[in-house]
Amino acid sequence: MTKLGRNDTCHCGSGKKYKKCCSEVDELRERAQRQEEQLRVRDEKQRIRDSWEKRTSSCSYQKGSEDDPFRDEDDDAAEDFLWQLRDLDFFGKLSRLQLLLDEKSSLLPGVVFSAFDLLRREAATSDQRRQVSRCFQRLREEYPDLYLENSIIYAGWRIIMGLTDGITDEISSIFRDAALQAESDLDTFSQLSELLAYHNRMDELLQGMNLAWPRLRLAEENLLWGYDDFVFMLGDFETYAWLERGDEADFDTLVRLMNPFFPELDLPDFRKYLGRISGEIVTEWSPEELSWGGKSLNIVGLFSQEFLGYLRYAEGVPFSRGSLAADKICEYLRQRHDGELNHRGAKKPPKPLHQLCPDVVTLEEYLSRNVGFITKHGYIVGAILELIPAWLRFLESRKLLDTALRERIIAGLRPILEKWCGVLEEITSDRILVAGIARAWAE
């Protein structure tokens, strides 16, 4: 039945206005129906919780139980709202979200966050993603405080939807909103920066990170971790942008850019670094020099910088994407050598086929540690997986690996690809990332 206005003619045929006829009866009936539905949903949720507790009885603490110290009224409201949406199709959920935005009294942060998360996951077409984007924009315009409370996470969702459909004109403003909140959650903001780095959105990345940096510097004493990593990341991105500009900018310009971040910059060493990542310096390292011990630790770090230059100029991989993996691949190899990737109580992993090449067991352990419960660096994991074949070709180009062994190592690693592509799709919802990994391993 179409909802009547209070001054419309009543649906019963009496000829009276609805407010003077059946409105009270209808309201009582609807209230009873809502209460009945709430009781049914409550009983169904309790049944599922009981079933879940039986399956996980070995756990001493369960999220959502009465012992959960972090649960509040917002959590309960979000759960209730999601249960109301469970049987609706995309457009039914969209309609409920729009009604939710009309009802100011119901706008609890957890409810809004959960509703948008559910809807953006179900948006399967370009038209559906555009409609979700319009809802995000409405939230931003009408309820800015509510939007900014989760603007860093919302930014990631919105940017991925835009990139999926090739709609990129709003990325700059979306990322700026997130940058203004960076000090509230620096780790999540860094993950958002990794998203833009993977997709080589350098203009938006530098604009937003430079907007965030002064605020982070003022808050440095209150940031327990992440500030130094952020500064190094921003310095690297400024350097990559300078290299891409080529002859349009001189070295003094770059030094002036670096001074705020690194006031004691060693210029001779910095020039050598530029030479390695630009491909101008190529060193013929021996296997012994790249072994894991003593001074070789520093040499492997220099080797990873040359790999970054190889990625950019031999394989055409953008600096920003390559930087997510070049260092990390060497970090993984070092941790493997030091025994840091052995499962507690598990058998010692088999000896790798090559000291500079990954193996399945320890690589999976390393990747898992980058997508833990709190920290989910999906784009670092994605870049590592995508660029492992390039790393092996790089080793071969330096005569540190022969073709037959390279192909054998690739074959040994392939079985984990499908699993990790599934993990990354769940974490990032980024089909472009997953497609890039598949394409890199198909070549």
Side-chain angles (χ1 to χ4, degrees):
M1 183 177 65
T2 303
K3 188 166 181 66
L4 294 175
R6 289 178 58 78
N7 291 316
D8 292 339
T9 302
C10 188
H11 57 77
C12 71
S14 65
K16 298 179 181 178
K17 290 186 177 181
Y18 179 57
K19 65 182 179 182
K20 294 185 177 181
C21 191
C22 294
S23 64
E24 291 186 6
V25 175
D26 287 347
E27 287 175 5
L28 288 171
R29 185 185 299 114
E30 289 175 3
R31 187 180 306 163
Q33 290 173 345
R34 285 197 301 270
Q35 290 173 344
E36 182 180 349
E37 174 66 8
Q38 288 170 357
L39 289 172
R40 190 182 70 79
V41 168
R42 186 197 64 186
D43 292 343
E44 179 66 3
K45 286 192 292 186
Q46 188 59 51
R47 184 188 65 78
I48 291 176
R49 282 175 180 165
D50 291 343
S51 174
W52 176 257
E53 287 174 1
K54 287 179 182 177
R55 286 178 297 177
T56 58
S57 57
S58 61
C59 299
S60 60
Y61 165 75
Q62 295 296 325
K63 175 68 178 173
S65 71
E66 293 181 358
D67 296 328
D68 182 352
F70 302 106
R71 190 171 185 84
D72 57 21
E73 180 184 357
D74 196 3
D75 294 320
D76 292 331
E79 187 176 287
D80 289 339
F81 184 77
L82 293 179
W83 270 92
Q84 294 169 27
L85 300 184
R86 68 194 182 283
D87 296 326
L88 301 178
D89 62 10
F90 171 83
F91 292 102
K93 291 181 174 70
L94 177 67
S95 177
R96 288 303 304 273
L97 175 59
Q98 291 168 335
L99 287 173
L100 179 68
L101 295 177
D102 290 335
E103 300 171 1
K104 295 181 173 61
S105 61
S106 301
L107 286 177
L108 291 169
V111 176
V112 173
F113 182 91
S114 299
F116 272 102
D117 186 21
L118 179 64
L119 201 63
R120 61 100 187 179
R121 288 177 183 274
E122 292 199 11
T125 67
S126 295
D127 179 65
Q128 289 175 356
R129 287 187 287 271
R130 279 196 293 270
Q131 294 191 64
V132 176
S133 293
R134 284 195 286 271
C135 287
F136 270 119
Q137 191 57 33
R138 180 183 172 190
L139 179 68
R140 174 68 181 89
E141 292 172 355
E142 297 182 16
Y143 311 100
D145 291 342
L146 199 59
Y147 178 88
L148 291 174
E149 185 166 334
N150 287 298
S151 63
I152 302 174
I153 297 177
Y154 291 157
W157 296 348
R158 297 180 68 187
I159 289 170
I160 289 168
M161 287 194 298
L163 290 169
T164 299
D165 297 318
I167 301 171
T168 60
D169 54 320
E170 293 184 343
I171 289 179
S172 180
S173 62
I174 292 171
F175 191 54
R176 280 201 308 272
D177 279 341
L180 293 173
Q181 305 298 314
E183 70 269 25
S184 67
D185 190 349
L186 182 53
D187 188 62
T188 303
F189 182 74
S190 295
Q191 293 171 44
L192 178 59
S193 301
E194 290 160 9
L195 183 165
L196 292 180
Y198 177 85
H199 289 284
N200 196 32
R201 304 299 305 189
M202 290 298 291
D203 289 344
E204 297 95 338
L205 190 59
L206 288 173
Q207 183 186 61
M209 291 184 75
N210 276 297
L211 181 62
W213 180 62
R215 303 167 68 91
L216 294 173
R217 184 171 53 178
L218 290 174
E220 181 184 359
E221 293 181 359
N222 298 320
L223 297 172
L224 299 180
W225 62 79
Y227 176 76
D228 290 341
D229 290 340
F230 173 88
V231 172
F232 277 108
M233 186 189 298
L234 178 52
D236 282 342
F237 292 154
E238 290 284 11
T239 301
Y240 305 149
W242 179 85
L243 282 170
E244 295 291 4
R245 288 194 293 269
D247 294 335
E248 295 180 9
D250 58 25
F251 181 69
D252 290 339
T253 301
L254 179 59
V255 171
R256 284 195 295 272
L257 280 172
M258 292 297 104
N259 276 337
F261 312 129
F262 312 111
E264 299 179 2
L265 186 66
D266 186 317
L267 295 184
D269 279 354
F270 187 52
R271 283 186 179 274
K272 291 176 184 177
Y273 165 74
L274 292 175
R276 284 187 289 271
I277 68 172
S278 66
E280 294 177 3
I281 296 177
V282 176
T283 310
E284 297 297 328
W285 303 109
S286 68
E288 292 73 26
E289 288 174 309
L290 294 169
S291 62
W292 298 96
K295 295 181 179 179
S296 66
L297 287 174
N298 182 53
I299 290 174
V300 174
L302 302 180
F303 192 57
S304 73
Q305 295 171 11
E306 293 186 22
F307 174 50
L308 182 58
Y310 167 87
L311 285 173
R312 178 64 188 91
Y313 296 107
E315 302 253 352
V317 177
F319 275 123
S320 58
R321 183 181 302 177
S323 69
L324 297 178
D327 231 17
K328 295 297 183 180
I329 289 175
C330 289
E331 179 185 68
Y332 151 70
L333 294 170
R334 194 270 304 160
Q335 289 186 8
R336 181 182 70 181
H337 176 271
D338 291 346
E340 296 177 19
L341 300 176
N342 300 347
H343 274 298
R344 183 178 299 176
K347 293 181 180 179
K348 186 177 180 180
K351 184 178 180 180
L353 296 175
H354 191 289
Q355 67 172 3
L356 293 173
C357 298
D359 66 272
V360 168
V361 175
T362 58
L363 178 63
E364 285 214 89
E365 177 66 17
Y366 181 79
L367 298 180
S368 297
R369 294 181 184 186
N370 278 279
V371 289
F373 177 71
I374 296 176
T375 301
K376 290 183 171 62
H377 292 285
Y379 286 91
I380 287 178
V381 168
I384 291 171
L385 285 172
E386 180 176 330
L387 297 175
I388 280 176
W391 169 256
L392 299 179
R393 290 191 293 270
F394 171 63
L395 296 178
E396 188 176 3
S397 74
R398 295 299 182 86
K399 298 181 172 53
L400 295 164
L401 181 68
D402 63 53
T403 303
L405 185 54
R406 174 176 65 81
E407 292 176 351
R408 184 180 170 191
I409 291 168
I410 283 286
L413 293 171
R414 282 188 189 280
I416 69 172
L417 280 182
E418 183 176 352
K419 166 192 169 181
W420 277 96
C421 283
V423 169
L424 290 173
E425 188 162 9
E426 174 64 24
I427 291 172
T428 67
S429 301
D430 192 335
R431 300 173 186 174
I432 299 173
L433 172 69
V434 173
I437 296 170
R439 189 164 51 247
W441 283 77
E443 294 173 354

